[in-house]
Amino acid sequence: MTVLRGARERWVRTGGVELGVAELGDPGRPTVVLVHGYPDSKEVWSEVATRLADRFHVVLYDVRGHGRSTAPQPLRGGFTLEKLTDDFLAVVDAVSPGRPVHLVGHDWGSVQSWEFVTVKRTEGRIASFTSISGPSLDHFGHWIDKRLRRPTPRRVGQLLGQGAKSWYVYLLHTPVLPERAWRGPLGKAWPRILERVERTPRGDGYPTGSLPRDAAHGAWLYRDNVRARLRRPRADAYAHAPVQLITPLGDVFLSDRLYDELERWAPQLTRRSLPARHWVPRTRPDQLAAWIGEFVTGVEDGRGAPAAGNGPYAERFGGQLVLVTGAGSGIGRASAYAFAEAGARVIAVDRDAEAAGRTAEMARLLGAPAAWAETVDVSDEQQMEKLAERVTAEHGVVDVLVNNAGIGMSGSFFDTTTEDWRKVLDVNLWGVVHGCRLFGKRMAERGQGGHIVNVASAAAYQPSRVLAAYSTSKAGVLMLSECLRAELAGEGIGVSAICPGLVNTNITATARFAGVGAEEELRLQKRVAKLYGWRNYPPEKVADAVLRAVVRNEAVVAVTPEARGARVLARVAPRVLRGLARVRPPV
Ligand code: NAD
């Protein structure tokens, strides 16, 4: 069974081999050439290719010795980057004789495409290059060289880190053994290994039956090139076309440090990253097709590569799907805006429909490629279930979830009614539980990682005689986050708890004060609002801490100096905090 339905197939003869080429879409449209990696055949691209075929002329070919392409004889010396470049040129001459092509490579497809895009003889034949999980061997060679010449502890750490991730490369250099393994037990077990380790979807005709032969031949890609190039990298390996670099954050084979100095080699560089493991063409075809499509269209229109958002977090969040609860005001709104500025797609959830709508509208103006508003009460399990179903069906699995919606509640324990308790726990704790359960489960099922941020409070670890209900709810959120972080670590899903101190938001105007009449409550709300206004810590700073927590995968982040101070005291001098807890607040 072929997984490339509707493809037109042809053969291209070059350098003693015949290459199996498949085409989809209108040949009059811009041509996108997809190059597969190791141990794969062109079918690894089937899901991406079909998604691109309505807008582009999509071309895939089996690298020599793989899939339907014949193998060079002898094998040794038959897979050099020079020969692979000959093959690429022969294919593009056949499929797009008069017009440069947009090149996309994954894994070894990207490694060889770096060669294509940096050698003189392909100049004018490549309009753009999207590189996924496969560095240039020349750039890699210089990267190693620099670290060996001037070894600081950090650089040695980076070398050792990448060295450990490259274990399979050493194995592939051993004679005969890899071939035996692939044609024997490894070849048989590989589809299951991919499903289990990489979480690729099962039963869609991938990998194809040619896998053991492809993998055995492909060992020569490594043997013919890696040692030679790493030892003597080309000094002029500059890209002569715009490059889009897509980095899966959970790639077990490549360290993202490899690309630190890439701007030097590829001055027109667009960087993007996504929560995913190595086999993104199988696991994230929607996201890849969207980014390839945008990039190719931008280059074709002469607008250049589209910016992946603005600011320091654009590379990390551009294009990702982010859901924020309580996004109609304060910290939630500021977080939604910060993700929007970084180029993320934002879902603004709030029980206040108008406020959520305004946030979504502003998010689009700030740079979100798309933003939607959802009116949901986070404490209502059924509403949250429907939200999760709707979001998954319409936009896919959420990459970052921010459980932020919360309400304030103050007053003595005996004045706090059961109804008050229920309300604050329902929103502040159950709302977070529903969010984690419904969206976190889908994240875990997707198997490609992601991040959950729960907005707790300094009150989670700082007791107070007037905040029993609120602090209990927030302590619950903090502990839930810690437990979940432990449970989801193996899934590549990070969980962070954010603990702000006093932040100038609307929460003071809506907070409940137990045990007082309506008039007194209003007076207290105004006084607290004044205090928070006087403190004047902006929600934008908390939003920044939210994004940073995701980037650095931080467990607990205390925001505002008083929250940080209290956290230190909770550890080193809890008695001091207990003493402070007895003090009646000034309002
Ligand atoms: P805010 O009142 O400005 O914003 C909260 C938003 O959540 C509002 O838009 C509100 O409509 C929404 N919301 C409330 N209940 C909801 C529900 N059941 N379903 C959906 N949406 C709901 O408050 P904020 O200060 O931005 O608070 C955000 C989070 O930060 C809360 O969890 C709060 O406890 C926490 N926090 C705030 C401070 C602070 O000083 N402002 C300090 C520590 C923690």
Side-chain angles (χ1 to χ4, degrees):
M1 156 177 153
T2 172
V3 283
L4 275 167
R5 257 169 246 110
R8 306 180 291 279
E9 300 202 39
R10 65 156 100 181
W11 298 95
V12 170
R13 277 192 191 80
T14 168
V17 294
E18 273 195 66
L19 301 174
V21 180
E23 287 171 80
L24 291 139
D26 178 359
R29 300 268 174 90
T31 300
V32 176
V33 179
L34 305 169
V35 190
H36 70 81
Y38 178 85
D40 275 321
S41 59
K42 61 181 178 310
E43 282 73 18
V44 72
W45 286 116
S46 61
E47 294 294 320
V48 175
T50 45
R51 283 165 173 78
L52 290 171
D54 57 344
R55 284 171 293 162
F56 303 108
H57 172 218
V58 182
V59 176
L60 315 90
Y61 67 97
D62 286 316
V63 172
R64 51 173 57 209
H66 296 68
R68 288 162 67 89
S69 297
T70 59
Q73 284 307 330
L75 292 170
R76 179 188 300 275
F79 289 85
T80 59
L81 286 169
E82 291 75 13
K83 288 185 177 157
L84 298 172
T85 309
D86 293 340
D87 292 354
F88 165 71
L89 282 172
V91 171
V92 299
D93 282 347
V95 297
S96 180
R99 198 168 167 187
V101 301
H102 298 270
L103 182 59
V104 181
H106 173 248
D107 184 88
W108 246 94
S110 171
V111 174
Q112 54 179 299
S113 294
W114 272 113
E115 173 82 358
F116 309 160
V117 81
T118 57
V119 291
K120 282 265 172 304
R121 63 195 173 113
T122 59
E123 254 175 68
R125 302 297 291 121
I126 300 171
S128 78
F129 169 38
T130 296
S131 162
I132 309 159
S133 282
S136 148
L137 291 182
D138 298 302
H139 303 167
F140 194 8
H142 289 291
W143 186 87
I144 294 172
D145 196 47
K146 184 169 169 187
R147 276 152 190 80
L148 288 177
R149 271 175 208 274
R150 269 170 287 146
T152 61
R154 206 168 62 99
R155 284 178 172 168
V156 172
Q158 291 174 355
L159 268 179
L160 292 175
Q162 180 54 46
K165 288 188 169 205
S166 300
W167 54 270
Y168 65 100
V169 181
Y170 318 128
L171 278 184
L172 283 165
H173 278 83
T174 58
V176 192
L177 205 74
E179 280 86 343
R180 286 253 168 93
W182 279 115
R183 292 189 194 276
L186 186 56
K188 279 205 194 79
W190 189 246
R192 277 199 314 282
I193 295 176
L194 274 185
E195 279 167 26
R196 198 170 307 155
V197 181
E198 287 285 322
R199 305 288 193 89
T200 54
R202 67 166 54 186
D204 55 0
Y206 168 85
T208 57
S210 63
L211 168 80
R213 172 181 169 270
D214 303 342
H217 285 155
W220 289 100
L221 291 167
Y222 293 86
R223 295 170 185 155
D224 276 352
N225 299 293
V226 174
R227 265 183 299 186
R229 274 303 168 93
L230 294 190
R231 234 180 262 154
R232 277 182 302 280
R234 284 163 46 221
D236 61 348
Y238 297 102
H240 46 65
V243 177
Q244 167 171 240
L245 178 77
I246 299 178
T247 315
L249 296 162
D251 196 324
V252 291
F253 302 111
L254 290 172
S255 142
D256 50 6
R257 292 267 78 91
L258 275 182
Y259 301 117
D260 277 355
E261 293 129 31
L262 195 58
E263 271 80 2
R264 175 181 158 211
W265 301 106
Q268 295 167 267
L269 183 67
T270 304
R271 289 173 182 262
R272 299 182 189 277
S273 60
L274 77 167
R277 299 175 199 236
H278 182 76
W279 256 273
V280 272
R282 303 309 301 170
T283 55
R284 305 297 304 269
D286 286 324
Q287 184 71 80
L288 286 196
W291 279 341
I292 294 165
E294 254 176 57
F295 188 62
V296 168
T297 309
V299 172
E300 281 287 319
D301 291 353
R303 283 181 283 126
N310 286 309
Y313 301 120
E315 177 195 343
R316 177 63 177 74
F317 296 116
Q320 288 188 22
L321 187 61
V322 179
L323 185 144
V324 183
T325 69
S329 169
I331 295 168
R333 176 171 271 177
S335 301
Y337 289 169
F339 280 113
E341 274 177 344
R345 295 174 294 145
V346 174
I347 304 170
V349 177
D350 205 288
R351 65 177 171 194
D352 179 340
E354 213 185 306
R358 273 199 305 274
T359 301
E361 206 179 308
M362 190 63 189
R364 280 189 290 271
L365 292 175
L366 285 169
W372 307 271
E374 289 283 356
T375 315
V376 169
D377 179 344
V378 295
S379 66
D380 184 324
E381 186 176 3
Q382 277 183 346
Q383 284 189 27
M384 286 291 276
E385 261 167 20
K386 282 202 188 112
L387 173 73
E389 274 163 26
R390 207 161 49 238
V391 165
T392 315
E394 288 172 15
H395 315 300
V397 177
V398 164
D399 296 306
V400 180
L401 166 69
V402 184
N403 287 309
N404 159 80
I407 51 173
M409 166 75 66
S410 174
S412 110
F413 173 72
F414 294 113
D415 288 338
T416 310
T417 63
T418 342
E419 194 42 41
D420 290 333
W421 271 95
R422 214 165 269 137
K423 215 179 254 172
V424 78
L425 289 178
D426 275 354
V427 179
N428 290 10
L429 184 55
W430 275 105
V432 178
V433 172
H434 296 324
C436 291
R437 200 171 59 77
L438 294 162
F439 291 98
K441 185 152 181 265
R442 285 166 168 86
M443 246 182 223
E445 278 166 0
R446 178 177 70 176
Q448 301 301 314
H451 207 101
I452 299 175
V453 179
N454 295 329
V455 179
S457 164
Y461 48 78
Q462 179 178 9
S464 160
R465 60 181 292 157
V466 294
L467 286 176
Y470 182 77
S471 301
T472 304
S473 73
K474 292 300 184 179
V477 171
L478 181 58
M479 187 46 87
L480 165 64
S481 309
E482 290 272 24
C483 294
L484 206 53
R485 182 178 175 87
E487 182 170 346
L488 297 182
E491 302 283 344
I493 298 173
V495 181
S496 304
I498 306 292
C499 301
L502 306 186
V503 184
N504 194 10
T505 69
N506 211 30
I507 198 163
T508 47
T510 53
R512 277 272 300 123
F513 288 80
V516 298
E519 213 171 292
E520 177 63 2
E521 184 168 59
L522 196 64
R523 192 187 68 80
L524 287 171
Q525 285 172 342
K526 280 191 182 145
R527 286 197 61 175
V528 177
K530 212 181 240 177
L531 174 75
Y532 277 50
W534 171 77
R535 170 71 184 87
N536 204 19
Y537 193 91
E540 289 73 23
K541 281 197 179 176
V542 188
D544 198 51
V546 168
L547 271 71
R548 208 168 339 113
V550 181
V551 172
R552 298 185 186 164
N553 190 15
E554 291 169 319
V556 181
V557 184
V559 199
T560 71
E562 66 274 10
R564 278 195 293 275
R567 188 144 170 86
V568 174
L569 285 179
R571 284 189 187 151
V572 302
R575 280 165 158 233
V576 176
L577 272 195
R578 287 185 198 122
L580 288 172
R582 295 179 183 201
V583 178
R584 211 177 275 279
V587 286

